Amino acid sequence: MEITKVDSRVLRTRRLLIASFITVAQVKEFKEITIKEITDEATVNRAKFYAHFIDKYDLLDAVISEKIVKSIQEKLNSHDTLSEDTIIKIFLAVTNFQTELSTQCRKSYESISAIIEQKIKKELETVFYALLLKRNLPMEKEALRIGAVMLSWGIYGASVDWQDNSSISAEQYIKIAMPYLLNGMAAH
């Protein structure tokens, strides 16, 4: 099998465009951001932008994917399986990501929150599905997929509630929620 190496210039341009998008999103609402502003900030031409992304929505999707996946990967080890500790790590990665993104893209955050929600839940579903598969449970893949959906939506919803309504730390929040997540209504 041949391994293709990605040109460092391609990676550099992609990183520049992502960083430039974040910079522009700090001062402008998403709907007002233009490709020209992003490329000017990155000091690349429009052709380079379109070589990497279809449009600004595709760029936003890449920003969310790369940042949330990177954040989760930094918290998890490759040998981690689904456990209480893993769920806590994922919750903390999501809350850290949301806090960082809402701070970095303050002007745009509210207008793109639906896109962010959809993308984070999809990425979490992928992570939870992979973790459930590692457990070698005697269940159909559809049942594991449904479990992954429930976990991803639950973790995302809890992270939004923590961000919007809680005065305690994310660590305290998830520790309070954990018995309900693990044991359902039988927790108390």
Side-chain angles (χ1 to χ4, degrees):
M1 178 165 69
E2 184 180 318
I3 298 174
T4 56
K5 186 176 178 183
V6 178
D7 187 337
S8 61
R9 293 172 296 178
V10 171
L11 290 175
R12 181 182 163 278
T13 301
R14 185 175 175 85
R15 284 190 203 115
L16 267 173
L17 289 166
I18 287 172
S20 297
F21 171 78
I22 292 170
T23 300
V24 173
Q26 289 175 349
V27 294
K28 291 191 86 168
E29 290 213 23
F30 181 75
K31 64 183 178 188
E32 297 170 352
I33 295 173
T34 65
I35 302 302
K36 181 174 179 7
E37 291 168 322
I38 296 166
T39 56
D40 285 353
E41 179 68 30
T43 62
V44 299
N45 63 38
R46 291 174 70 88
K48 290 269 190 219
F49 177 91
Y50 290 113
H52 292 271
F53 303 104
I54 297 167
D55 55 19
K56 69 181 181 179
Y57 292 93
D58 190 31
L59 173 56
L60 173 62
D61 189 61
V63 168
I64 296 167
S65 291
E66 288 182 19
K67 288 201 169 272
I68 191 66
V69 169
K70 182 180 176 193
S71 181
I72 291 171
Q73 286 173 342
E74 287 173 355
K75 297 272 186 199
L76 299 180
N77 297 319
S78 60
H79 62 274
D80 279 344
T81 58
L82 189 59
S83 66
E84 183 174 342
D85 186 49
T86 306
I87 291 170
I88 290 170
K89 288 177 183 179
I90 292 171
F91 179 79
L92 295 176
V94 172
T95 56
N96 288 340
F97 171 78
Q98 285 186 296
T99 301
E100 181 182 309
L101 194 62
S102 66
T103 302
Q104 287 181 344
C105 302
R106 190 172 323 200
K107 285 271 193 186
S108 294
Y109 189 78
E110 197 170 305
S111 65
I112 59 176
S113 63
I115 296 168
I116 293 168
E117 175 182 348
Q118 179 183 20
K119 189 63 183 172
I120 290 175
K121 287 191 292 194
K122 197 65 178 159
E123 294 295 337
L124 288 176
E125 181 184 332
T126 302
V127 168
F128 281 122
Y129 185 70
L131 289 170
L132 286 168
L133 284 174
K134 280 185 177 181
R135 294 184 82 184
N136 294 317
L137 298 170
M139 300 174 80
E140 292 182 25
K141 289 190 178 193
E142 181 65 5
L144 295 177
R145 187 196 66 76
I146 291 168
V149 168
M150 293 293 292
L151 286 167
S152 68
W153 285 51
I155 291 295
Y156 181 79
S159 71
V160 170
D161 181 63
W162 170 79
Q163 188 175 34
D164 293 347
N165 302 313
S166 187
S167 59
I168 60 177
S169 72
E171 293 85 356
Q172 291 171 308
Y173 186 101
I174 192 62
K175 292 207 184 215
I176 291 169
M178 192 55 66
Y180 295 101
L181 196 62
L182 297 176
N183 304 316
M185 293 310 295
H188 290 285

